[in-house]
Amino acid sequence: MPALGFGTLLPDAAVTITATRDALGAGFRHFDCAERYRNEREVGTALHAGLASGGIAREDVFVTTKLWNSNHRPERVEPAFQASLNRLGLKYLDLYLIHTPFAFQPGDEQDPRDQNGNVIYDRGVTLLDTWRAMETLLDHGKCRAIGLSDIGLDELKLIYEAARIKPAVVQVESHPYLPETELLEFCKEKGIVLLAFAPLGHGTRPGPLEDPVITAIAARVGKTPAQVLLAWAVQRGTALLTTPRSAAHARENFDISALPEDALGEINRVKTRQRLNEVVKTGVPGFIPQRKSAHD
Ligand SMILES: NC(=O)c1ccc[n+]([C@@H]2O[C@H](COP(=O)([O-])OP(=O)(O)OC[C@H]3O[C@@H](n4cnc5c(N)ncnc54)[C@H](OP(=O)(O)O)[C@@H]3O)[C@@H](O)[C@H]2O)c1
């Protein structure tokens, strides 16, 4: 898996196409998608056009997508996987992730709510039931690896111990304000890739991009704050997902180089702690604007 990944959580269809094309043009070869982002078709369109015009082979790109919470019932896993594959226009996926450990009411409504606006969870399926169905996807060759997302260390350990096929990747929020050091150590010990989302703190300001430690290092090494944050993520042993919308940001984010040891140490000593995305607590996405449900 290429360490530098492009994330496709882009609410606008036209921007999804231009940003995916620009990321491919800048050199990104790892693309992170999800059925919940509702833009797999646009990502697929941009990828196919970019591969054809750039003479890039399918095998040279790494494509991930994710199973949504309303598809956790084992009998829904294979159809959901196949539907994503069809929307992306691909014959196989490099990686398929369970998007969150929370099972929602099964069905086509991605955000099922009761009359009081509370999420309707599905208590009739466990994460391990869903994992077992994910494991069978690897048996028929259309999926090359499986993993988890938005999961904590304790729950990961339970799945890891019970799994026939161990998780290859764990995708979680991670940046200097949420380094997830304990989880990273466990992943390294077990040979699991920790894939960091929001490595730039989701562009939030104030946030890691404006942190005085980061801006001072950037000035010292002649790089931008974004490049410093991405280099730190790679050098500590994570892969990452960044979502530049412009071609200029895509080129900037792909052009990273190693930081000196003292700079890594300074970033590791940053004391600010902040989680930006609360998805880990409820399964409700933090960075996706809530849509009115069909019956509103
Ligand atoms: N598993 C999950 O639950 C989950 C949750 C959230 C995200 N994700 C995945 O992770 C991906 C990345 O997350 P993210 O969007 O938070 O990533 P991010 O790269 O930390 O944040 C993106 C923001 O940073 C800005 N930005 C990008 N490059 C920049 C640069 N060089 N200088 C200054 N600002 C820059 C972007 O602005 P511009 O648009 O102006 O470039 C955008 O506002 C998502 O697309 C998705 O694939 C997964």
Side-chain angles (χ1 to χ4, degrees), residues 9-11 37 173 175 197-199 201-204 275-279 284-290:
L9 206 182
L10 294 155
Y37 303 163
E173 176 181 343
H175 42 71
F197 77 72
H202 194 54
T204 309
R275 180 183 294 283
L276 299 159
N277 193 322
E278 299 291 335
V279 61
V284 176
F287 296 165
I288 302 177
Q290 293 304 300

Side-chain angles (χ1 to χ4, degrees), residues 7 9 32 149-150 171 197 200 202 242-243 245 249 252-253:
L9 206 182
D32 179 78
S149 172
D150 298 325
Q171 182 182 131
F197 77 72
L200 305 181
H202 194 54
T242 178
T243 310
R245 265 174 299 185
H249 275 170
E252 177 182 332
N253 294 3

Side-chain angles (χ1 to χ4, degrees), residues 88-246:
L88 286 161
L90 296 174
K91 294 197 175 66
Y92 70 90
L93 277 172
D94 297 278
L95 176 65
Y96 197 45
L97 301 176
I98 300 181
H99 201 142
T100 88
F102 296 88
F104 287 1
Q105 171 182 272
D108 294 335
E109 173 58 59
Q110 292 187 331
D111 190 23
R113 302 278 173 153
D114 66 16
Q115 285 152 336
N116 301 319
N118 298 315
V119 173
I120 307 172
Y121 291 97
D122 180 3
R123 309 287 175 201
V125 61
T126 67
L127 188 60
L128 187 57
D129 295 334
T130 309
W131 185 258
R132 296 269 184 249
M134 297 282 285
E135 289 176 327
T136 65
L137 293 177
L138 270 81
D139 298 334
H140 61 50
K142 287 186 189 170
C143 179
R144 300 200 165 168
I146 51 175
L148 296 154
S149 172
D150 298 325
I151 192 154
L153 184 52
D154 292 343
E155 216 168 1
L156 171 61
K157 282 181 178 167
L158 292 177
I159 296 292
Y160 184 86
E161 276 152 27
R164 170 171 69 91
I165 297 168
K166 308 296 180 197
V169 174
V170 168
Q171 182 182 131
V172 292
E173 176 181 343
S174 178
H175 42 71
Y177 291 179
L178 190 67
E180 293 283 17
T181 310
E182 216 188 326
L183 183 65
L184 179 57
E185 276 166 17
F186 177 82
C187 286
K188 282 184 178 174
E189 190 190 306
K190 303 296 185 194
I192 301 169
V193 174
L194 193 152
L195 179 55
F197 77 72
L200 305 181
H202 194 54
T204 309
R205 292 171 192 266
L209 279 170
E210 288 179 345
D211 188 283
V213 170
I214 303 298
T215 54
I217 293 171
R220 210 162 73 219
V221 300
K223 287 287 195 179
T224 67
Q227 289 168 329
V228 169
L229 289 166
L230 300 179
W232 172 80
V234 173
Q235 275 175 270
R236 68 196 291 261
T238 70
L240 63 86
L241 298 171
T242 178
T243 310
R245 265 174 299 185
S246 66

